Amino acid sequence: MLTPETIDATARAFLDVHRSRTRYRPLDAAVRGAPLDEAYRIQDALHRLMASAGWGEIAGWKIALTSKAMQQMTGVDQPAAGAIFSKVVLPSPARVDVAAYHHLGVEFEVAVRLADDLPASGGPWTRTSVAGRVDACMPAFELVEDGNADYKTLDAFTLVAQNAWNGGVVLGSPVTGWRGVDLESSVTRCWVNDAPSGQGKTGDALGHPFEAVAWLANLLNRRGHMLHRGMIVMTGSSITTKFPAPGDRVRFAIDGLGEVALEAAR
């Protein structure tokens, strides 16, 4: 196990990375050789620092690398979770300041809004049991701050410790009638400046968005946390990350759930 001093120092270094927009680099081998649970301990410490620094409260959670396309793109073979802070939750259509990021990426996801808590007493959670606690689904962008990383150097430990690169979300209109939508096979499409730029399906993220929610709920429960009523869960991208330039317009649509849009500010 890492010492409390190492946990605290690593979290503070990551907060400085956020503030200074320093390029991503993996943690030293001596640190990232620890079990992945230690990366989540660093993440917990980082969350406390981010809240104190004015990011707001935790409004939801994201799951990274849930699709084969994203795992192949990054070379990391397992999902990773991170928190979403209230100050960076935006409604669609959104205007996003590219200059506020070191290197802005946009991912294309189903967001799930919860109608009730998912405590450890209800687990282990499954796709079926999660479904009874879902209020709404919606198309969404995750705004990713990847620190202009060299993707060949990525590792799961550093990614988790850095809060899985979450830089915010843009949410489309919530659909409470999601039960009438095929969340395994609905087609997802994106456009950049009205040009088709990718296609997938909602089941590309762990087979179904609710599988992702169940995975996250169980992870948090094992760590003494839980998903709360009203939280948003970003369930993973079905299309590989796009990196908009200033002036670009990005649009994402999910059959049965509508669409979400943003403009990258000049």
Side-chain angles (χ1 to χ4, degrees):
M1 289 181 60
L2 300 177
T3 66
E5 292 76 17
T6 299
I7 296 285
D8 181 69
T10 306
R12 290 183 183 280
F14 282 152
L15 185 65
D16 288 342
V17 165
H18 279 294
R19 287 170 166 164
S20 63
R21 302 177 197 163
T22 304
R23 187 174 188 184
Y24 169 92
R25 65 180 180 86
L27 286 165
D28 291 342
V31 176
R32 57 188 165 89
L36 193 60
D37 283 351
E38 297 297 278
Y40 282 107
R41 289 181 64 208
I42 296 170
Q43 188 188 105
D44 285 345
L46 178 60
H47 291 167
R48 292 189 289 270
L49 293 172
M50 292 173 72
S52 296
W55 286 60
E57 62 187 14
I58 293 178
W61 292 81
K62 54 93 43 104
I63 312 168
L65 311 181
T66 53
S67 71
K68 291 298 182 185
M70 289 303 299
Q71 289 180 2
Q72 290 168 0
M73 176 182 173
T74 60
V76 177
D77 64 357
Q78 58 187 298
I84 301 166
F85 285 84
S86 57
K87 291 292 182 67
V88 289
V89 177
L90 308 174
S92 174
R95 186 172 171 85
V96 178
D97 183 5
V98 177
Y101 293 79
H102 184 182
H103 191 230
L104 173 65
V106 175
E107 296 184 350
F108 306 87
E109 314 198 11
V110 176
V112 174
R113 188 173 70 195
L114 298 174
D116 207 347
D117 296 348
L118 274 68
S121 59
W125 295 98
T126 66
R127 178 199 303 190
T128 301
S129 60
V130 160
R133 305 201 180 199
V134 170
D135 173 34
C137 297
M138 64 206 85
F141 295 123
E142 184 185 359
L143 306 177
V144 175
E145 173 58 276
D146 76 358
N148 200 24
D150 176 356
Y151 279 54
K152 295 178 183 178
T153 70
L154 298 189
D155 68 278
F157 191 100
T158 308
L159 184 65
V160 166
Q162 285 194 331
N163 196 40
W165 289 354
N166 182 259
V169 296
V170 178
L171 303 177
S173 297
V175 175
T176 55
W178 56 265
R179 290 170 182 80
V181 179
D182 182 349
L183 291 175
E184 286 186 338
S185 303
S186 289
V187 175
T188 65
R189 301 178 180 86
C190 75
W191 297 262
V192 178
N193 299 326
D194 296 324
S197 298
Q199 181 172 316
K201 63 180 188 300
T202 47
D204 287 340
L206 295 181
H208 191 286
F210 296 171
E211 292 283 5
V213 176
W215 177 89
L216 176 63
N218 291 327
L219 172 72
L220 292 176
N221 288 167
R222 287 195 301 272
R223 304 194 59 255
H225 305 307
M226 72 173 176
L227 291 168
H228 292 279
R229 176 182 180 180
M231 279 188 168
I232 294 293
V233 177
M234 299 289 288
T235 59
S237 192
S238 59
I239 301 171
T240 55
T241 312
K242 310 303 175 190
F243 299 94
D248 282 348
R249 292 168 288 106
V250 186
R251 188 162 54 94
F252 173 53
I254 302 174
D255 287 355
L257 293 180
E259 67 176 55
V260 62
L262 68 79
E263 179 181 356
R266 295 182 183 277

